[in-house]
Amino acid sequence: MTSIQQEQRLGIMSAMAEEVDSLLSELSNHTSEVHGKRTYYKGRLFNKVDVVIVFSRWGKVAAAATTAILIERYNCQEIIFTGVAGGVQHGLNVGDVVVANRLVQHDMNATPIFKRFEIPLLDVTEFSTSDCRREQLTKAANKFVTDGAGLSIMTTYEQRQNFHIANPKVVVGLAASGDKFFASKEDLDQLRNDLPECCCVEMEGAAVAQVCHEHDIPFSIVRVISDSADDSAHVDFQEFVKEIATVYSHGILELALTASA
């Protein structure tokens, strides 16, 4: 008797409720359950992919707890996290996209017992994202920011002007995570000194990465740059999430998942 291969389930997380709400409009045959004060939505996304979508809330602990539930309770075999980040790499601007190839916890410091940034007992300082999915997401992000059916259609010229978005680009590189919002030049300069390869800084990705690593689950992290992570990080954050970041995550995921389904 020939066995039928079961479709793999994808977990999609965001630290922004607006991003989740946007995806729910594309979720068919869905049900919802509440666990740990989070609502998990099951269904088919873009009529293509079996998913569980959840708003993780902010910070490493919240992200780790949510990831564990996606894996253990919902049997998700892969995780994608979308959201915003502060730009660290020189030349990154608001509206640019970072597709992470590695994640590090910038606030992990168990010296002198372990090396700086090393995760105790795991013997790693960085976690690598899924090669195959990273390639898909990078291709989708590039298409979204340059193609006439992507960003330029899903947002208005006035919206892009308001947030100074012009000729956005996509980079692949190191993302740093920690329970800190960067809003001073001094802190940003220190981060650049500590992690010179860092492209962006956020608050959840490396925690998701660690849980996935410990469960042998592939994961991906996609971030749109919302600010410069220094004294000039005064962008209207809520408006940016609503008008820009939500559109990015929705558009990039749709392009990536419909192409790979």
Side-chain angles (χ1 to χ4, degrees):
M1 180 181 294
T2 302
S3 61
I4 299 175
Q5 185 176 4
Q6 186 176 6
E7 180 182 5
Q8 289 196 338
R9 176 174 288 164
L10 172 66
I12 298 178
M13 302 169 57
S14 176
M16 298 297 158
E18 293 87 348
E19 294 186 28
V20 168
D21 290 341
S22 177
L23 292 177
L24 292 182
S25 68
E26 300 283 357
L27 193 65
S28 59
N29 302 320
H30 72 271
T31 60
S32 65
E33 299 173 337
V34 177
H35 298 289
K37 299 184 179 180
R38 293 159 178 76
T39 303
Y40 294 77
Y41 301 91
K42 296 188 294 182
R44 292 193 69 80
L45 185 61
F46 307 123
N47 292 315
K48 293 285 187 178
V49 187
D50 181 20
V51 300
V52 180
I53 301 173
V54 59
F55 166 42
S56 69
R57 305 186 181 189
W58 292 16
K60 293 194 301 179
V61 173
T66 308
T67 305
I69 290 178
L70 285 173
I71 295 171
E72 292 293 333
R73 184 178 288 271
Y74 292 102
N75 194 32
C76 290
Q77 288 88 39
E78 181 184 359
I79 303 293
I80 297 178
F81 195 104
T82 68
V84 299
V88 176
Q89 184 182 87
H90 291 290
L92 278 181
N93 301 306
V94 172
D96 291 344
V97 178
V98 175
V99 180
N101 61 5
R102 294 165 293 140
L103 280 297
V104 62
Q105 295 183 33
H106 67 73
D107 54 358
M108 175 57 70
N109 189 350
T111 58
I113 303 173
F114 298 95
K115 295 183 297 184
R116 179 81 184 276
F117 308 122
E118 182 177 329
I119 307 300
L121 308 182
L122 290 186
D123 194 32
V124 296
T125 58
E126 298 175 351
F127 300 98
S128 297
T129 58
S130 166
D131 291 336
C132 180
R133 186 67 78 184
R134 181 172 65 248
E135 182 179 339
Q136 292 173 345
L137 289 166
T138 302
K139 182 177 180 180
N142 273 302
K143 184 174 183 180
F144 177 78
V145 299
T146 60
D147 189 71
L151 179 64
S152 61
I153 295 298
M154 296 177 71
T155 60
T156 66
Y157 175 78
E158 289 74 17
Q159 286 175 318
R160 297 191 298 275
Q161 283 287 98
N162 186 41
F163 293 103
H164 308 288
I165 298 174
N167 302 315
K169 58 185 174 295
V170 179
V171 300
V172 177
L174 178 69
S177 310
D179 289 319
K180 174 183 176 65
F181 185 85
F182 280 74
S184 77
K185 184 178 185 302
E186 291 75 17
D187 288 346
L188 179 59
D189 287 343
Q190 185 62 57
L191 181 64
R192 285 171 172 160
N193 181 71
D194 293 340
L195 294 166
E197 295 182 31
C198 181
C199 292
C200 68
V201 63
E202 35 95 316
M203 299 177 68
E204 297 85 20
V208 174
Q210 180 175 339
V211 176
C212 288
H213 173 84
E214 296 188 18
H215 287 81
D216 295 317
I217 297 292
F219 69 94
S220 304
I221 309 291
V222 182
R223 296 284 188 168
V224 57
I225 300 301
S226 61
D227 58 80
S228 52
D230 59 14
D231 303 281
S232 62
H234 56 266
V235 65
D236 188 329
F237 187 76
Q238 291 301 326
E239 284 302 306
F240 182 86
V241 170
K242 178 182 177 181
E243 296 184 16
I244 303 297
T246 296
V247 173
Y248 268 78
S249 59
H250 189 130
I252 292 170
L253 283 176
E254 183 169 13
L255 288 168
L257 297 180
T258 55
S260 62

